Amino acid sequence: MTERELKQNNILPQEEVEAQKAYVLQLRLENERYLEAHGKRRRVFVLTFGCQQNEADSEKLLGMAESMGYESCEEPGLADLILVNTCAIREHAELKALSIVGQYKHLKAKNPSLLIGVCGCMVTQAHRVDELKRRYPYVDFTFGTSSLHRLPQLIAEKSAKGKRLFCPEESAYLVAEGLPITRKSTYRAWVSIMYGCNNFCSYCIVPYVRGRERSREMESVVAEVRDLVAAGYRDITLLGQNVNSYGKDSGYPYDFADLLSALDQLEGDFLLRFMTSHPKDADRKLIDVMASSRHIAHQFHLPMQSGSDRILRAMNRRYDTARYLDIVSYLREKMPDVTLTSDIIVGFPGESEEDFEGTLSMLERVGFDMLYSFIYSPRKGTPAAEMEQIPTDIKGARFERLLAVQNKIATEKNQPLVGRTLRVLCDGVSKTNEALYSGRSEGNKIVFFEGSPEDTGDFVTVRIDRADAFALYGQKC
Ligand code: SAH
Ligand code: SF4
Ligand code: F3S
């Protein structure tokens, strides 16, 4: 294949993007007429569940809606268009989304012209689409993760014909470049560098609802990050389910470490982060690039999932604890100040007391700064859902033990920072403690301090005088 064909393999053809632009124009005219007749714009409300990838997708949904003439609003009760961007990672995420969609029934009763669309990972599964079809008659349209770019078409067709639409998945999951993005923040940004996952960890629904891995071209990513830096963005996170395999799916002549090196050349006062890394693919080249970079934060999120080699095999993770420890020691050798975080699943099918203790002892050995821990949730269609399950009470008890161990470790990890001065990107008045401002350090730790309104969105220097398991506290200097 020529280089051009390789690229086209992955990228949504430009004609598709143009076809959607025609719907955008048509809807914009219609929404302008509405504005003239009613003296106000139609409004859109976007609700997001799930991971940063979904947050990033929602910024595109909002971007598209605004380009169609909608104005964003923060309350579903004020909206003419509601979009619920769903997650399927655990049962709880799906039940929460369904329950909220259920609450919108009364809004539709009050405002029959309200359009309700449900999209994202949950509705990329046929059984959930069927459920919405049968039990949620006030849902107007659904579209899965392969059809995000089709929002304009769905709204136009629903408005013209009135029939409910359940958009089928595309024959291929492709990268749609050039969709408008309305970012939530003016100083922190998500940049998706790849989509999908090829790993099929035995517990995980993501490969089924996000399709195979496909990477954006390096030049598109560099252009987007360059624009963000020029617009004053200070903290930019590159997103992908497994960023370490960036580029490989498309046969690009560059890999993730090359992409990071290219981005590190950009001038400006900004930090680069990335997630998520997979221990089977995280290599020394990447760590070397990080260690010698100017902009890449010394922070690494490396999901371990379990500290038992037997369970890691059953999870189809394709690394063992020895390999994991090897990466950690190289990371710390090259960056002694690196902040290390991880994901752990408790109660995977077949997890014995001994396996679980293996996880606790790995926590002690590695000493994570922070942990995202989850109780295993069976996902329909994944191999682990068919395995013999652990009773709920045992899963719950192990989860509590894990939290207690990690709290102790995180408190110990944060103590050495007392007395140090850290550069912190200020997020404004804290949502949990309104007397203080909060922000994030380079290691992505939450820092509380006495700030002022003009600090928001800027780097400030804070001397740390107290630390607990979850946060650092200090004074601006
Ligand atoms: N691609 C990333 C993140 C995937 S989802 C990775 O490979 O790490 C984020 C986390 O959710 C996973 O790391 C895992 O810890 C957790 N998770 C995924 N499926 C789950 C399930 N069925 N039950 C409980 N936790 C799950
Ligand atoms: Fe899920 Fe594994 Fe892919 Fe992560 S790497 S998204 S856990 S299948
Ligand atoms: Fe959820 Fe989909 Fe992300 S399943 S965790 S929103 S990729």
Side-chain angles (χ1 to χ4, degrees):
M1 255 195 267
T2 65
E3 199 179 334
R4 179 153 180 80
E5 277 166 339
L6 268 174
K7 286 177 184 171
Q8 283 176 343
N9 218 6
N10 239 356
I11 311 285
L12 187 72
Q14 204 49 37
E15 306 87 77
E16 279 289 329
V17 180
E18 293 306 318
Q20 294 302 318
K21 280 192 187 152
Y23 291 112
V24 168
L25 273 180
Q26 175 197 328
L27 289 162
R28 190 148 73 207
L29 284 175
E30 223 170 283
N31 281 332
E32 291 301 327
R33 281 199 290 275
Y34 180 92
L35 171 64
E36 270 170 35
H38 296 84
K40 58 172 185 167
R41 287 199 176 276
R42 283 202 171 111
R43 296 187 181 126
V44 57
F45 173 71
V46 181
L47 182 65
T48 312
F49 293 92
C51 63
Q52 290 82 355
Q53 190 81 68
N54 252 21
E55 296 283 346
D57 284 352
S58 283
E59 293 184 340
K60 291 183 183 151
L61 292 171
L62 191 57
M64 286 190 275
E66 286 185 354
S67 72
M68 292 178 248
Y70 286 92
E71 173 181 278
S72 137
C73 70
E74 295 300 318
E75 269 202 54
L78 299 175
D80 303 283
L81 169 65
I82 296 179
L83 297 171
V84 184
N85 193 6
T86 59
C87 170
I89 201 79
R90 286 168 286 275
E91 189 183 21
H92 180 68
E94 296 195 315
L95 298 183
K96 222 160 88 189
L98 288 170
S99 142
I100 288 199
V101 172
Q103 292 167 27
Y104 293 156
K105 181 178 178 181
H106 76 278
L107 296 179
K108 188 78 168 216
K110 266 201 297 199
N111 173 11
S113 67
L114 167 67
L115 285 179
I116 301 177
V118 184
C119 61
C121 295
M122 183 180 81
V123 295
T124 310
Q125 306 168 100
H127 70 281
R128 290 298 187 194
V129 176
D130 278 350
E131 191 175 348
L132 287 166
K133 236 184 232 179
R134 283 185 286 106
R135 301 201 11 229
Y136 299 77
Y138 42 89
V139 169
D140 294 289
F141 57 92
T142 65
F143 56 114
T145 56
S146 63
S147 319
L148 191 84
H149 59 283
R150 286 199 191 275
L151 176 67
Q153 179 179 3
L154 286 163
I155 296 178
E157 287 183 356
K158 175 71 183 83
S159 310
K161 300 187 191 136
K163 253 179 51 195
R164 303 171 77 200
L165 296 167
F166 303 95
C167 188
E169 290 310 305
E170 312 289 320
S171 55
Y173 284 61
L174 298 173
V175 174
E177 285 292 350
L179 299 182
I181 302 178
T182 300
R183 297 183 195 272
K184 264 209 177 120
S185 163
T186 52
Y187 54 92
R188 287 188 198 277
W190 310 118
V191 174
S192 297
I193 60 164
M194 60 190 298
Y195 304 87
C197 182
N198 290 352
N199 289 318
F200 290 93
C201 301
S202 62
Y203 50 82
C204 184
I205 197 72
V206 171
Y208 305 87
V209 296
R210 287 257 173 200
R212 293 296 66 72
E213 285 175 7
R214 54 219 183 271
S215 299
R216 294 177 65 194
E217 292 168 88
M218 173 145 47
E219 60 205 62
S220 311
V221 177
V222 172
E224 184 171 341
V225 173
R226 181 184 295 119
D227 288 350
L228 287 168
V229 172
Y233 281 84
R234 303 291 205 184
D235 190 307
I236 297 166
T237 305
L238 310 177
L239 297 179
Q241 293 300 341
N242 175 12
V243 288
N244 309 120
S245 57
Y246 169 80
K248 291 182 187 154
D249 53 276
S250 323
Y252 292 155
Y254 40 78
D255 63 11
F256 183 55
D258 298 329
L259 174 68
L260 283 180
S261 298
L263 294 171
D264 196 50
Q265 304 300 314
L266 297 172
E267 293 303 329
D269 190 7
F270 69 98
L271 277 176
L272 268 178
R273 305 180 192 276
F274 56 87
M275 63 188 303
T276 300
S277 292
H278 195 304
K280 83 177 162 59
D281 299 316
D283 57 17
R284 293 189 171 212
K285 178 177 171 193
L286 161 66
I287 295 169
D288 292 341
V289 167
M290 275 179 90
S292 61
S293 75
R294 302 182 300 163
H295 297 296
I296 305 169
H298 286 190
Q299 176 220 337
F300 213 82
H301 182 59
L302 191 64
M304 183 173 81
Q305 311 298 1
S306 168
S308 149
D309 288 338
R310 201 176 68 83
I311 294 295
L312 286 173
R313 259 195 314 279
M315 286 176 161
N316 190 30
R317 289 291 284 179
R318 286 172 281 170
Y319 56 84
D320 57 13
T321 47
R323 154 96 182 137
Y324 193 92
L325 290 169
D326 184 52
I327 304 170
V328 170
S329 81
Y330 194 69
L331 266 170
R332 290 199 167 134
E333 181 192 324
K334 292 283 158 175
M335 290 175 281
D337 62 338
V338 71
T339 298
L340 189 61
T341 59
S342 198
D343 291 351
I344 297 288
I345 296 180
V346 171
F348 181 83
E351 183 188 71
S352 65
E353 176 61 24
E354 196 187 337
D355 293 320
F356 176 65
E357 279 169 15
T359 300
L360 295 184
S361 88
M362 276 296 277
L363 298 194
E364 300 276 6
R365 259 182 100 170
V366 176
F368 293 107
D369 291 271
M370 213 205 1
L371 216 54
Y372 300 87
S373 30
F374 308 100
I375 294 180
Y376 169 72
S377 167
R379 306 286 62 218
K380 195 180 162 77
T382 62
E386 307 301 321
M387 300 176 189
E388 194 168 329
Q389 303 295 314
I390 303 278
T392 310
D393 54 338
I394 294 186
K395 289 201 272 190
R398 286 184 186 162
F399 186 68
E400 293 304 322
R401 282 165 66 196
L402 182 102
L403 292 187
V405 168
Q406 177 55 27
N407 280 354
K408 179 183 72 78
I409 295 171
T411 311
E412 285 165 13
K413 295 283 301 179
N414 282 342
Q415 287 318 308
L417 294 170
V418 174
R420 295 245 327 255
T421 355
L422 299 181
R423 209 159 173 248
V424 174
L425 180 56
C426 175
D427 285 309
V429 175
S430 153
K431 290 195 181 83
T432 52
N433 182 349
E434 286 183 8
L436 294 173
Y437 279 64
S438 71
R440 297 269 178 171
S441 68
E442 177 185 327
N444 216 22
K445 301 209 175 196
I446 301 176
V447 182
F448 291 100
F449 55 96
E450 283 168 30
S452 46
E454 64 274 12
D455 293 335
T456 307
D458 261 326
F459 288 110
V460 293
T461 310
V462 178
R463 183 184 304 282
I464 305 302
D465 52 31
R466 187 163 70 83
D468 60 28
F470 309 102
L472 310 172
Y473 303 80
Q475 308 297 328
K476 229 167 69 174
C477 47

